C-alpha cells in the first residue's frame, strides 16, 4: 500500500435520478425514482429525496410506490446516461492514464501515475478540482474518496456522500476501519455477514482480533486470507486502466407471464437482435450464444452453444438462440428472457458463417429491425408513451411524458435550461407529438484541451516531465449552470 492518498474513487451521486432532475427543472428537489415501471419492475436509482421514504435501488417498484406514492416514477434513458458518463470519464482521463471504470457512474483513478498528485495536499486539490469540473461540464455532483488503496478510497467516497470529499490519511486506516461493521468490507455480503455475526464478529476490529486462522476456518482459505488482510487495511490491488468486457447480453422481465410458445420465440428473436446491436456498438463479436429463461415458478435455466468462430451476424445469433430455446420447456409460462454472447473478440470470421441456414440479408442491422414474423403482427392500436420519455410537439416544443392512459398522454414542456414548464394533455395519436432525443444538460460545456491542475503546478511538486513546462492555470467559469448546487466543490471533509 502507498504512503500517500493518491488513489481516487469517484461515485456520482444518485446518478440516473440526478440526470433526470438536471434534465427536468420541475423535478429538482423532488423525489424521483428511475427503473422498470411494470408490476415486476425494480428500482434502478432513487434520488436522495426519495431515499428519505426508504426507497432504494433493487427494491421492487410496487414497494417503492407504496413508500413514496407522490414521487416521480420514470423509465431509464440509458443513451443519455452513457453520454454524461463519457463526459465524466473524459475528465478522469485528463488526470491520469490509469482510470478503471466500474460502471457508468463509478471509477478508480491512480493520481500518482498521471502526475496529478504525490502527497495529501496535492491529492486533495486534485479531488476538489475534479468535483468542480464535473459540476461545470455536467451540472451534476459526485462524491470523491482519496486513500492509499482502492478499498479505502471506495470507503472514503461512501463517507463523502452526497456531494463531498473525504481523505483517509496514511497511518489512520486501522483506527478508521475498526468500529465499522464487517459489511463495510468488499466481498462481505448478507450471507457472509450473518455467518460472521453468528460467530460473534460484527465489526472490522473484531474481524482482525479473530485472527487469520479462525477466519480461514470460518470462511475457507481464499476468503479467510483476503478478509483478514482487508481487516488490517491491506489492499495491494492496482488501478487497471482497461476492464475487458467478458460478455454482452440483454434481458427483459415481462409484466405478465408469456404462455404462448410462438410469442416466446418472437421475444427471443427480438432480444437476439438487441444483443447484436450492443455487440456491434462495442466493435465486438463472440463465439458462445447464451439463452436465459426464468419460468413462472422463478426457476432459472441457461443454455449455451459455442460456434466455430466469433460472429456478430444477426442471423447466426438468432438461429443459435432459437435452437437453444427448443431445448427449454416453457410450459406454465415465462417471466424473463435473456440472450447473451460470451467468448468475445474484436473481429469476425466471415468464412465460418455457413452455420446460418439459407440466405441472410447483408448490411447493418437497423435499430428497429425485427424478425419477419414479428413484422407481420398487427400494429398496436395506440402509440406507446412512457413516463420520462423525451418528446417534441410542433407547437409547444421539447418536453417529457409525465404519464399516459385512456387514450391520452400528458406532457410537461421544459428543457434543462428553462424554468419549470407547463403541462398539456394530448391524444396519444396526435400527429404533432413525436418522440425526441434528449437535450444536453449543460449548453456549451465542452471538455476542450487538457486542463493542467493547480495542484500539478505547485512549485514544491516532483518533476512532471516534458509537458510540465508552460502549465496553464485551471479556471472554473464564473457563471455556473442553474443545476449547480452545494458548496461549489471547494469544501472538503477529512476523516481521521
Amino acid at each position: 500500500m502507498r504512503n500517500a492518498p493518491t488513489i481516487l474513487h469517484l461515485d456520482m451521486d444518485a446518478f440516473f435520478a440526478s440526470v433526470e432532475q438536471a434534465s427536468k427543472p420541475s423535478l429538482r428537489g423532488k423525489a424521483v425514482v428511475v427503473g422498470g415501471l411494470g408490476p415486476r419492475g425494480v428500482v434502478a436509482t432513487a434520488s436522495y429525496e426519495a431515499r428519505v421514504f426508504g426507497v432504494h435501488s433493487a427494491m421492487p417498484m410496487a414497494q417503492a410506490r407504496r413508500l413514496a406514492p407522490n414521487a416521480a416514477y420514470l423509465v431509464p434513458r440509458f443513451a443519455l446516461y452513457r453520454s454524461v458518463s463519457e463526459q465524466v470519464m473524459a475528465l478522469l482521463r485528463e488526470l491520469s492514464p490509469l482510470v478503471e471504470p466500474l460502471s457508468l457512474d463509478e471509477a478508480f483513478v491512480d493520481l500518482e501515475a498521471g502526475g496529478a498528485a504525490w502527497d495529501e495536499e496535492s491529492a486533495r486539490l486534485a479531488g476538489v478540482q475534479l468535483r468542480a469540473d464535473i459540476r461545470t461540464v455536467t451540472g451534476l455532483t459526485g462524491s470523491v474518496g482519496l486513500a492509499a488503496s482502492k478499498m479505502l478510497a471506495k470507503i472514503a467516497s461512501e463517507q463523502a456522500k452526497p456531494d463531498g470529499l473525504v481523505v483517509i490519511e496514511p497511518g489512520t486506516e486501522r483506527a478508521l476501519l475498526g468500529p465499522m461493521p464487517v459489511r463495510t468490507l468488499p466481498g462481505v455480503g448478507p450471507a457472509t455477514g450473518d455467518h460472521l455475526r453468528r460467530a460473534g464478529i460484527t465489526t472490522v476490529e473484531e474481524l482482525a482480533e479473530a485472527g487469520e486462522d479462525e477466519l480461514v476456518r470460518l470462511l475457507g482459505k481464499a476468503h479467510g486470507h483476503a478478509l483478514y488482510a482487508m481487516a488490517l487495511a491491506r489492499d495491494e490491488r492496482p488501478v487497471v486502466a482497461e476492464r475487458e468486457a467478458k460478455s454482452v447480453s440483454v434481458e427483459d422481465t415481462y409484466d405478465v407471464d408469456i404462455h404462448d410458445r410462438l410469442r416466446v420465440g418472437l421475444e427471443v428473436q427480438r432480444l437476439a437482435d438487441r444483443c447484436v446491436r450492443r455487440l456491434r456498438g462495442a466493435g465486438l463479436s463472440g463465439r458462445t450464444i447464451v439463452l436465459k429463461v426464468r419460468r413462472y415458478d422463478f426457476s432459472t435455466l441457461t443454455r449455451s452453444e459455442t460456434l466455430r468462430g466469433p460472429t456478430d451476424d444477426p442471423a447466426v445469433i438468432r438461429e443459435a438462440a432459437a435452437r437453444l430455446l427448443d431445448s427449454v420447456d416453457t410450459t406454465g409460462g415465462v417471466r424473463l428472457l435473456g440472450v447473451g454472447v460470451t467468448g468475445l473478440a474484436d473481429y469476425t470470421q466471415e468464412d465460418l458463417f455457413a452455420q446460418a441456414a439459407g440466405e441472410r440479408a447483408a448490411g447493418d442491422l437497423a435499430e428497429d429491425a425485427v424478425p419477419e414474423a414479428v413484422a407481420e403482427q398487427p400494429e398496436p392500436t395506440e402509440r406507446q408513451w412512457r413516463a420520462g420519455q423525451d418528446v417534441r410537439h410542433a407547437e409547444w416544443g421539447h418536453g417529457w411524458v409525465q404519464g399516459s392512459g385512456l387514450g391520452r398522454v400528458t406532457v410537461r414542456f421544459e428543457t434543462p435550461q428553462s424554468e419549470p414548464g407547463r403541462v398539456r394533455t394530448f391524444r396519444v395519436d396526435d400527429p404533432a407529438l413525436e418522440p425526441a432525443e434528449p437535450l444536453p444538460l449543460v449548453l456549451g460545456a465542452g471538455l476542450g484541451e487538457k486542463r493542467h491542475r493547480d495542484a500539478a503546478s505547485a512549485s514544491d511538486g516532483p518533476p512532471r516531465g516534458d509537458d510540465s513546462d508552460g502549465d496553464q492555470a485551471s479556471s472554473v467559469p464564473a457563471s455556473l449552470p442553474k443545476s449547480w448546487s452545494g458548496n461549489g466543490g471547494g469544501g472538503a471533509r477529512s476523516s481521521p
Side-chain angles (χ1 to χ4, degrees), residues 8-277:
L8 180 149
H9 181 262
L10 170 70
D11 198 347
M12 299 296 290
D13 299 323
F15 184 53
F16 294 175
S18 293
V19 170
E20 296 299 340
Q21 290 176 317
S23 178
K24 301 171 172 65
S26 59
L27 296 183
R28 293 172 191 167
K30 306 288 182 62
V32 174
V33 181
V34 179
L37 302 187
R40 293 175 177 169
V42 296
V43 175
T45 307
S47 70
Y48 286 98
E49 295 86 355
R51 296 181 191 187
V52 171
F53 299 99
V55 180
H56 58 78
S57 60
M59 172 182 284
M61 191 62 77
Q63 182 181 355
R65 289 184 185 275
R66 289 193 295 270
L67 293 172
N70 296 320
Y73 290 86
L74 310 174
V75 295
R77 297 186 294 164
F78 289 111
L80 177 59
Y81 306 152
R82 281 191 291 268
S83 175
V84 176
S85 174
E86 288 169 2
Q87 291 178 300
V88 173
M89 296 301 166
L91 288 171
L92 298 183
R93 292 186 180 97
E94 290 184 3
L95 285 170
S96 172
L98 291 184
V99 176
E100 182 178 339
L102 303 179
S103 62
L104 290 177
D105 60 344
E106 187 180 1
F108 287 109
V109 184
D110 187 330
L111 297 176
E112 188 175 19
W118 50 91
D119 57 15
E120 181 186 346
E121 180 182 2
S122 59
R124 185 188 297 275
L125 287 173
V128 169
Q129 184 65 56
L130 172 64
R131 293 177 60 234
D133 287 347
I134 289 172
R135 289 173 179 266
T136 303
V137 171
T138 69
L140 305 177
T141 65
S143 296
V144 167
L146 291 155
S149 70
K150 290 168 69 172
M151 178 188 75
L152 292 166
K154 183 171 176 60
I155 290 173
S157 70
E158 286 296 320
Q159 291 186 319
K161 282 185 168 294
D163 190 19
L165 182 151
V166 165
V167 179
I168 298 179
E169 301 174 13
T172 67
E173 298 94 348
R174 291 285 302 275
L176 174 73
L177 286 175
M180 291 184 174
V182 292
R183 289 287 305 276
T184 302
L185 300 180
V188 182
T192 301
D194 288 343
H195 192 50
L196 291 170
R197 180 179 52 79
R198 288 193 294 271
I201 300 172
T202 59
T203 67
V204 176
E205 184 177 12
E206 291 170 344
L207 200 63
E209 291 174 349
E212 190 169 16
D213 291 342
E214 176 65 8
L215 294 180
V216 168
R217 186 186 70 81
L218 288 171
L219 305 172
K221 187 174 182 180
H223 202 182
H225 286 312
L227 208 53
Y228 183 68
M230 288 189 288
L232 299 180
R234 297 172 185 165
D235 179 17
E236 302 296 335
R237 294 173 301 159
V239 175
V240 180
E242 296 296 333
R243 292 170 57 88
E244 186 175 336
K246 296 182 179 180
S247 65
V248 173
S249 63
V250 297
E251 63 181 42
D252 277 343
T253 300
Y254 303 99
D255 295 342
V256 178
D257 290 348
I258 303 175
H259 293 83
D260 181 70
R261 183 75 180 189
L262 175 61
R263 168 79 189 286
V264 173
L266 294 176
E267 288 295 319
V268 167
Q269 300 290 285
R270 182 178 61 81
L271 289 167
D273 284 346
R274 281 175 52 195
C275 186
V276 168
R277 289 197 292 273

Side-chain angles (χ1 to χ4, degrees), residues 346-388:
D346 57 2
Y347 65 95
T348 58
Q349 292 181 314
E350 299 291 344
D351 58 328
L352 298 178
F353 286 173
Q355 299 160 99
E359 294 293 325
R360 301 194 299 270
D364 291 337
L365 185 67
E367 183 65 24
D368 58 351
V370 291
E372 184 178 354
V374 176
E376 293 174 355
Q377 299 300 311
E379 291 294 322
T381 57
E382 289 186 356
R383 298 169 70 182
Q384 299 297 307
W385 302 104
R386 302 188 299 166

